[in-house]
Amino acid sequence: MTENKFNNLLILIFFFLLQTDIAKSEIIILNKCDDKQDEFLKNEYIFNLNELIMTRNYIYKENTFKKYKRTDLSVKKSNSFVRNIYEEDGKILTHKHGYPQFYTQIYFEKEKKEIFMKTVLNNEEGVSKISTCKNIEKFGNES
């Protein structure tokens, strides 16, 4: 009878540990991000590492909005887009956007405030810093 209670206790502990591991996720928010060529009222990146999704929210300042509106009538003053992400070698990368010969990816490293753009053309890789963020917030999300 004692051995049965011990086995039940071990199973209960294992189940509890498994549930807490599954229920936790990590969310990283980089906000107040500047940009080398554009000006924003709001520019933030939200990385949900559990759902493997990056959401970018931004609102252009009036001059930047007018600059893009001149050549593209579909430009909106505020916008949001979502990309799938994955982790590789300590970097969080968006999935490749483009064609096999030419594609781009946004990436960052977990402990740093810089956002980079990786561009690949015919296997030639270029990396440029596209933004430096003032704030980085990390949240452990429990459901």
Side-chain angles (χ1 to χ4, degrees), residues 8-22:
N8 288 341
L9 181 62
L10 283 178
I11 290 170
L12 184 62
I13 290 171
F14 177 73
F15 182 75
F16 179 75
L17 290 175
L18 183 65
Q19 286 294 90
T20 57
D21 191 39
I22 291 173

mmCIF file of all heavy atoms in Angstrom, residues 8-22:
data_model
loop_
_atom_site.group_PDB
_atom_site.id
_atom_site.type_symbol
_atom_site.label_atom_id
_atom_site.label_comp_id
_atom_site.label_asym_id
_atom_site.label_seq_id
_atom_site.Cartn_x
_atom_site.Cartn_y
_atom_site.Cartn_z
ATOM 1 N N ASN A 8 1.847 7.050 -6.855
ATOM 2 C CA ASN A 8 0.840 8.071 -7.160
ATOM 3 C C ASN A 8 1.396 9.478 -6.950
ATOM 4 O O ASN A 8 1.122 10.387 -7.726
ATOM 5 C CB ASN A 8 -0.411 7.866 -6.310
ATOM 6 C CG ASN A 8 -1.221 6.658 -6.757
ATOM 7 O OD1 ASN A 8 -1.065 6.183 -7.870
ATOM 8 N ND2 ASN A 8 -2.080 6.168 -5.865
ATOM 9 N N LEU A 9 2.170 9.656 -5.898
ATOM 10 C CA LEU A 9 2.784 10.949 -5.623
ATOM 11 C C LEU A 9 3.767 11.337 -6.732
ATOM 12 O O LEU A 9 3.786 12.483 -7.186
ATOM 13 C CB LEU A 9 3.491 10.926 -4.263
ATOM 14 C CG LEU A 9 4.166 12.221 -3.837
ATOM 15 C CD1 LEU A 9 3.143 13.339 -3.709
ATOM 16 C CD2 LEU A 9 4.912 12.037 -2.537
ATOM 17 N N LEU A 10 4.573 10.394 -7.181
ATOM 18 C CA LEU A 10 5.514 10.666 -8.271
ATOM 19 C C LEU A 10 4.779 11.045 -9.559
ATOM 20 O O LEU A 10 5.180 11.979 -10.262
ATOM 21 C CB LEU A 10 6.411 9.454 -8.521
ATOM 22 C CG LEU A 10 7.551 9.240 -7.540
ATOM 23 C CD1 LEU A 10 8.323 7.978 -7.903
ATOM 24 C CD2 LEU A 10 8.484 10.429 -7.526
ATOM 25 N N ILE A 11 3.710 10.350 -9.848
ATOM 26 C CA ILE A 11 2.926 10.655 -11.045
ATOM 27 C C ILE A 11 2.311 12.040 -10.933
ATOM 28 O O ILE A 11 2.326 12.828 -11.888
ATOM 29 C CB ILE A 11 1.843 9.578 -11.274
ATOM 30 C CG1 ILE A 11 2.513 8.262 -11.688
ATOM 31 C CG2 ILE A 11 0.836 10.017 -12.335
ATOM 32 C CD1 ILE A 11 1.582 7.079 -11.720
ATOM 33 N N LEU A 12 1.801 12.367 -9.767
ATOM 34 C CA LEU A 12 1.208 13.682 -9.544
ATOM 35 C C LEU A 12 2.247 14.791 -9.701
ATOM 36 O O LEU A 12 1.989 15.815 -10.352
ATOM 37 C CB LEU A 12 0.578 13.745 -8.152
ATOM 38 C CG LEU A 12 -0.168 15.019 -7.805
ATOM 39 C CD1 LEU A 12 -1.345 15.223 -8.753
ATOM 40 C CD2 LEU A 12 -0.638 14.979 -6.371
ATOM 41 N N ILE A 13 3.437 14.607 -9.152
ATOM 42 C CA ILE A 13 4.509 15.602 -9.272
ATOM 43 C C ILE A 13 4.927 15.758 -10.736
ATOM 44 O O ILE A 13 5.076 16.871 -11.236
ATOM 45 C CB ILE A 13 5.713 15.227 -8.382
ATOM 46 C CG1 ILE A 13 5.340 15.401 -6.910
ATOM 47 C CG2 ILE A 13 6.936 16.079 -8.734
ATOM 48 C CD1 ILE A 13 6.376 14.870 -5.947
ATOM 49 N N PHE A 14 5.099 14.644 -11.437
ATOM 50 C CA PHE A 14 5.478 14.689 -12.846
ATOM 51 C C PHE A 14 4.419 15.434 -13.661
ATOM 52 O O PHE A 14 4.731 16.283 -14.491
ATOM 53 C CB PHE A 14 5.664 13.266 -13.388
ATOM 54 C CG PHE A 14 5.988 13.228 -14.847
ATOM 55 C CD1 PHE A 14 7.248 13.606 -15.308
ATOM 56 C CD2 PHE A 14 5.026 12.847 -15.768
ATOM 57 C CE1 PHE A 14 7.540 13.584 -16.658
ATOM 58 C CE2 PHE A 14 5.302 12.830 -17.119
ATOM 59 C CZ PHE A 14 6.567 13.200 -17.561
ATOM 60 N N PHE A 15 3.138 15.138 -13.435
ATOM 61 C CA PHE A 15 2.050 15.808 -14.147
ATOM 62 C C PHE A 15 2.047 17.303 -13.867
ATOM 63 O O PHE A 15 1.885 18.125 -14.764
ATOM 64 C CB PHE A 15 0.708 15.181 -13.747
ATOM 65 C CG PHE A 15 -0.460 15.783 -14.464
ATOM 66 C CD1 PHE A 15 -0.713 15.476 -15.790
ATOM 67 C CD2 PHE A 15 -1.292 16.682 -13.820
ATOM 68 C CE1 PHE A 15 -1.784 16.033 -16.456
ATOM 69 C CE2 PHE A 15 -2.361 17.250 -14.478
ATOM 70 C CZ PHE A 15 -2.611 16.918 -15.794
ATOM 71 N N PHE A 16 2.246 17.692 -12.619
ATOM 72 C CA PHE A 16 2.279 19.105 -12.241
ATOM 73 C C PHE A 16 3.427 19.830 -12.932
ATOM 74 O O PHE A 16 3.263 20.921 -13.476
ATOM 75 C CB PHE A 16 2.389 19.247 -10.716
ATOM 76 C CG PHE A 16 2.445 20.673 -10.264
ATOM 77 C CD1 PHE A 16 1.311 21.463 -10.260
ATOM 78 C CD2 PHE A 16 3.650 21.242 -9.871
ATOM 79 C CE1 PHE A 16 1.360 22.782 -9.853
ATOM 80 C CE2 PHE A 16 3.713 22.559 -9.464
ATOM 81 C CZ PHE A 16 2.568 23.334 -9.463
ATOM 82 N N LEU A 17 4.610 19.231 -12.942
ATOM 83 C CA LEU A 17 5.762 19.858 -13.610
ATOM 84 C C LEU A 17 5.539 19.976 -15.101
ATOM 85 O O LEU A 17 5.899 20.978 -15.717
ATOM 86 C CB LEU A 17 7.040 19.066 -13.318
ATOM 87 C CG LEU A 17 7.561 19.137 -11.888
ATOM 88 C CD1 LEU A 17 8.753 18.204 -11.723
ATOM 89 C CD2 LEU A 17 7.932 20.552 -11.518
ATOM 90 N N LEU A 18 4.943 18.976 -15.699
ATOM 91 C CA LEU A 18 4.664 19.006 -17.127
ATOM 92 C C LEU A 18 3.676 20.109 -17.459
ATOM 93 O O LEU A 18 3.863 20.863 -18.407
ATOM 94 C CB LEU A 18 4.117 17.648 -17.585
ATOM 95 C CG LEU A 18 3.830 17.490 -19.070
ATOM 96 C CD1 LEU A 18 5.130 17.592 -19.862
ATOM 97 C CD2 LEU A 18 3.157 16.161 -19.338
ATOM 98 N N GLN A 19 2.637 20.254 -16.664
ATOM 99 C CA GLN A 19 1.635 21.288 -16.899
ATOM 100 C C GLN A 19 2.219 22.689 -16.762
ATOM 101 O O GLN A 19 1.909 23.565 -17.552
ATOM 102 C CB GLN A 19 0.458 21.132 -15.917
ATOM 103 C CG GLN A 19 -0.453 19.983 -16.241
ATOM 104 C CD GLN A 19 -1.174 20.221 -17.544
ATOM 105 O OE1 GLN A 19 -0.697 19.844 -18.604
ATOM 106 N NE2 GLN A 19 -2.318 20.848 -17.476
ATOM 107 N N THR A 20 3.030 22.938 -15.766
ATOM 108 C CA THR A 20 3.581 24.283 -15.589
ATOM 109 C C THR A 20 4.560 24.620 -16.695
ATOM 110 O O THR A 20 4.665 25.776 -17.094
ATOM 111 C CB THR A 20 4.276 24.436 -14.226
ATOM 112 O OG1 THR A 20 5.304 23.455 -14.104
ATOM 113 C CG2 THR A 20 3.282 24.318 -13.092
ATOM 114 N N ASP A 21 5.267 23.645 -17.224
ATOM 115 C CA ASP A 21 6.196 23.906 -18.320
ATOM 116 C C ASP A 21 5.443 24.269 -19.595
ATOM 117 O O ASP A 21 5.842 25.152 -20.337
ATOM 118 C CB ASP A 21 7.083 22.678 -18.548
ATOM 119 C CG ASP A 21 8.230 22.972 -19.481
ATOM 120 O OD1 ASP A 21 8.800 24.079 -19.374
ATOM 121 O OD2 ASP A 21 8.558 22.106 -20.315
ATOM 122 N N ILE A 22 4.333 23.606 -19.841
ATOM 123 C CA ILE A 22 3.548 23.874 -21.041
ATOM 124 C C ILE A 22 2.833 25.217 -20.924
ATOM 125 O O ILE A 22 2.700 25.955 -21.882
ATOM 126 C CB ILE A 22 2.540 22.734 -21.280
ATOM 127 C CG1 ILE A 22 3.288 21.463 -21.687
ATOM 128 C CG2 ILE A 22 1.515 23.107 -22.337
ATOM 129 C CD1 ILE A 22 2.413 20.238 -21.774
#
